[in-house]
Amino acid sequence: MCICFGQDLGAQKRIVIDAGHGGIDSGALARNGAQEKDIVLNVAQEVLRLNSSLKEPHLIFLTRYSDTLISLGDRTRLAMALDADLFLSLHCNHAKNHRARGVEVFAYRYPFKYSKTAVWMAYQLQNQFKKQLGFESRGVKFANFQVLRDTAKQCPALLLELGFLSNADENSFLSSKENATRIALIILNILETY
């Protein structure tokens, strides 16, 4: 849990980035040993690092800053405690079909006050991943994931599947530190438009 002292939390948008999995929960595993929990944490930390170099940085909080397991409930409680303006959960996909590829963005399946904004942002993420990185778009989808369900009434909430660790090309791309920076820039640019 993050405790913030001395910050005017009302002056800026509060963004919570959830690096999925962590600790004993590795998430998806690639044949070369790459783990989802490490890839998404690298991207989240890059968003934080790049944000700090902005002239007017956003108030960005991570649900985890290291390789620790945080419960789904604690992840969403952090967003509620911070009165978040946006919640973005980062993940990587895996499939039995090693040719499966592309980016998916999920929003909560039931309509709420922030649903239109969440769907708009989801499409923006899809478009930028395709335009800037050449990733296939697997579409904007709707799901009843706990992290979305518990935050959708609070703020726009999205779950971003960055690509498939079961696909050798995407695994290689996602495992690169340089590409973590490229992905983080896309996310940060979308936050700027929000």
Side-chain angles (χ1 to χ4, degrees):
M1 191 62 77
C2 176
I3 300 175
C4 307
F5 296 103
Q7 294 185 37
D8 180 6
L9 296 181
Q12 298 168 285
K13 297 275 188 204
R14 290 167 304 281
I15 299 161
V16 174
I17 298 181
D18 172 36
H21 307 281
I24 60 169
D25 178 8
S26 63
L29 296 170
R31 287 184 179 181
N32 69 350
Q35 298 180 46
E36 177 180 4
K37 67 175 184 173
D38 298 328
I39 290 169
V40 296
L41 182 60
N42 287 341
V43 170
Q45 289 173 332
E46 274 299 287
V47 172
L48 201 58
R49 184 185 70 78
L50 292 169
N51 180 64
S52 68
S53 67
L54 294 176
K55 185 177 179 180
E56 294 182 31
H58 305 285
L59 277 175
I60 297 179
F61 304 90
L62 304 185
T63 55
R64 64 184 181 94
Y65 291 83
S66 61
D67 185 18
T68 54
L69 180 61
I70 309 293
S71 73
L72 296 177
D74 283 345
R75 293 168 195 256
T76 59
R77 277 190 284 280
L78 175 63
M80 302 303 236
L82 291 170
D83 193 23
D85 295 297
L86 176 68
F87 181 88
L88 177 62
S89 188
L90 303 177
H91 292 268
C92 296
N93 244 328
H94 194 280
K96 288 182 181 179
N97 177 357
H98 299 298
R99 289 188 296 255
R101 60 188 311 117
V103 175
E104 293 176 315
V105 187
F106 290 88
Y108 186 51
R109 99 172 9 152
Y110 300 106
F112 281 112
K113 176 180 177 181
Y114 302 102
S115 296
K116 286 183 181 178
T117 302
V119 171
W120 178 83
M121 292 187 77
Y123 278 107
Q124 296 305 308
L125 282 165
Q126 285 280 329
N127 291 339
Q128 291 307 307
F129 270 85
K130 184 173 185 173
K131 181 179 177 181
Q132 295 186 38
L133 302 177
F135 270 59
E136 287 183 25
S137 172
R138 295 178 62 87
V140 173
K141 300 180 179 180
F142 299 91
N144 192 25
F145 300 137
Q146 182 178 346
V147 292
L148 297 180
R149 183 176 64 241
D150 291 355
T151 54
K153 294 177 189 175
Q154 166 77 32
C155 61
L158 299 169
L159 187 143
L160 170 60
E161 294 277 5
L162 295 168
F164 284 80
L165 292 187
S166 50
N167 179 295
D169 292 338
E170 290 190 353
N171 172 38
S172 176
F173 183 91
L174 293 169
S175 297
S176 158
K177 181 71 172 169
E178 178 183 316
N179 291 328
T181 302
R182 294 172 71 190
I183 292 168
L185 278 170
I186 290 173
I187 292 170
L188 200 54
N189 286 337
I190 298 298
L191 298 180
E192 287 282 299
T193 64
Y194 171 64

